[in-house]
Amino acid sequence: MARNRPAPAEYAYERDPYGDPYADPYAGDQYRGRDPYDDGHRRRRRRRWPRVLAILLVILLVVAAGGYFYLDSRLKREAVLDQPGRLADTPGTNWLIVGSDSREGLDSADRKRLATGKAAGRRTDSMMLLHYGSGGTSLTSLPRDSYVPIPGRGSNKLNAAFAFGGPKLLVKTVEQATGVRIDHYAEIGLGGFVGIVDAVGGVDMCIKEPMRDPKAGLNLRPGCQTLDGASALGYVRTRASARADLDRVERQRQFFGALMKKAASPGVLLNPFRGVPLALNGTGNFLVDEDDHLHDLARMMWAMKGVSGGGGVTTSVPIGGSGSSPGVGAYITWDKRKAAALFEALKNDEKIPGSVVSK
């Protein structure tokens, strides 16, 4: 017959080491407190943190990926570059950036406020060739009144190519006139331009002299100031200056560079009240080639920012003269020698000679 052994004094306030099944498992804890050397709960807490961080990281990656694909799906796409007879690939990367006068998305009140008129369809207000590669980054204006051969249409103003055959014919005309292969295409209309400028909170510009043009809804005083979307649109569209379209393309390069610099700044990208509207406006209003994606636009924006920050060359095609003809009107011609040197440098991804850089 088993005998009940009295508990030794050292076990008076602890559990029986022999394992009494009826003993209170927490007996004595209220007297002795938690063992100061028992850090098991801290070890368990430390083991949970990596798991929590991993879950948060996965959630962030899923949200980021979902946001990317959502914004990418908002881009308007058109088969612009998929056409026969194009130039062979050239070194570096070349974007044809087009500002059209499309009124899509503007109601009658918007058209009146922005002084855009009521014209339907799409025409080109600005055309720029952005190049980046080992030879550097450059932004070259292609004046819309440039007199060039248009495939299948004879010679006419450059912007007539867009009117005759849309982006496809414009790309083919630019490639034939410059010898530079276009790798990417981006087009934005009037309403989209205004929306992007307002989304970043306006763009700071320094105006040298008063600018007034009722046709463009423009009335600016001299001095440094922040242009909102409506003022910016008038600023890049007006031709009411001494050199008309030549002054305009210079302002367009200047403004687009400043806009991209502002859009890529931490004050916009890290501010959800600026960054989110910018992303929605940008992706909802840009027309790109069917093979272009959001990361391509981000790379374009970064290159434009570099140009505006002094890390590249901004120029226009060197002008040789002017003329006019029936059915075409007044036009300008390129300086053949200087234009050839400019486009040869772009075609070979080489530094542009300073002797051909012009406003």
Side-chain angles (χ1 to χ4, degrees):
M1 179 175 179
R3 290 163 41 181
N4 292 327
R5 297 188 300 271
E10 61 265 31
Y11 299 132
Y13 300 105
E14 296 183 352
R15 292 188 292 272
D16 186 342
Y18 295 99
D20 183 352
Y22 299 102
D24 182 356
Y26 300 102
D29 287 356
Q30 64 271 33
Y31 298 106
R32 64 169 183 157
R34 188 181 57 81
D35 185 345
Y37 299 103
D38 180 12
D39 62 346
H41 74 290
R42 282 182 289 180
R43 288 197 300 270
R44 288 193 295 272
R45 186 164 54 190
R46 286 197 296 267
R47 283 196 297 268
R48 283 198 298 269
W49 270 113
R51 184 181 303 174
V52 172
L53 290 175
I55 292 172
L56 290 176
L57 180 60
V58 169
I59 292 174
L60 288 175
L61 289 175
V62 170
V63 171
Y68 174 87
F69 286 111
Y70 170 70
L71 292 174
D72 188 71
S73 70
R74 287 173 53 85
L75 290 171
K76 301 176 182 178
R77 290 183 168 87
E78 187 174 324
V80 176
L81 305 179
D82 183 16
Q83 51 181 311
R86 295 188 59 217
L87 296 177
D89 194 17
T90 53
T93 300
N94 301 296
W95 280 83
L96 181 59
I97 303 172
V98 174
S100 79
D101 66 356
S102 170
R103 278 79 169 167
E104 182 180 354
L106 299 178
D107 58 25
S108 58
D110 290 331
R111 290 194 294 269
K112 183 178 181 180
R113 176 175 62 89
L114 301 175
T116 63
K118 300 179 181 179
R122 292 154 59 195
R123 284 158 297 277
T124 50
D125 257 9
S126 64
M127 289 162 284
M128 292 179 286
L129 186 60
L130 173 68
H131 173 90
Y132 51 85
S134 58
T137 304
S138 63
L139 184 64
T140 304
S141 292
L142 306 174
R144 70 175 194 171
D145 291 339
S146 302
Y147 193 64
V148 296
I150 299 176
R153 294 282 187 163
S155 293
N156 208 317
K157 295 179 183 179
L158 180 58
N159 68 334
F162 193 93
F164 291 149
K168 277 193 171 185
L169 185 57
L170 178 62
V171 165
K172 200 167 186 178
T173 300
V174 170
E175 287 189 342
Q176 178 177 289
T178 65
V180 177
R181 179 183 171 92
I182 304 301
D183 301 302
H184 302 278
Y185 177 86
E187 176 190 332
I188 189 166
L190 302 181
F193 174 82
V194 171
I196 289 176
V197 174
D198 286 337
V200 301
V203 176
D204 296 333
M205 300 297 294
C206 291
I207 310 300
K208 295 180 180 179
E209 55 188 27
M211 298 182 67
R212 180 173 174 78
D213 182 3
K215 292 183 178 180
L218 184 66
N219 186 11
L220 297 177
R221 293 175 296 178
C224 296
Q225 54 201 284
T226 301
L227 302 186
D228 62 9
S231 299
L233 182 62
Y235 181 76
V236 300
R237 293 187 71 212
T238 183
R239 303 176 76 180
S241 59
R243 300 193 307 155
D245 196 49
L246 298 181
D247 285 336
R248 182 168 77 157
V249 296
E250 182 180 354
R251 287 192 300 271
Q252 288 170 349
R253 290 197 311 274
Q254 180 191 36
F255 186 86
F256 275 103
L259 173 60
M260 292 300 117
K261 183 177 181 180
K262 178 74 175 288
S265 67
V268 172
L269 295 181
L270 300 181
N271 181 352
F273 297 102
R274 295 293 185 200
V276 172
L278 171 63
L280 294 176
N281 272 280
T283 55
N285 289 292
F286 264 110
L287 171 70
V288 296
D289 180 63
E290 61 181 355
D291 292 328
D292 286 327
H293 293 280
L294 187 60
H295 65 271
D296 296 311
L297 275 182
R299 182 65 183 88
M300 179 201 77
M301 183 175 71
W302 194 257
M304 291 275 281
K305 176 189 176 185
V307 171
S308 65
V313 174
T314 62
T315 185
S316 180
V317 180
I319 303 303
S322 61
S324 64
S325 66
V328 175
Y331 58 77
I332 58 176
T333 58
W334 296 348
D335 183 310
K336 292 184 179 179
R337 183 183 61 82
K338 290 184 176 181
L342 168 65
F343 295 129
E344 188 69 16
L346 295 180
K347 182 173 67 175
N348 296 315
D349 193 20
E350 298 172 346
K351 184 178 179 180
I352 297 175
S355 59
V356 304
V357 175
S358 60
K359 290 185 177 181

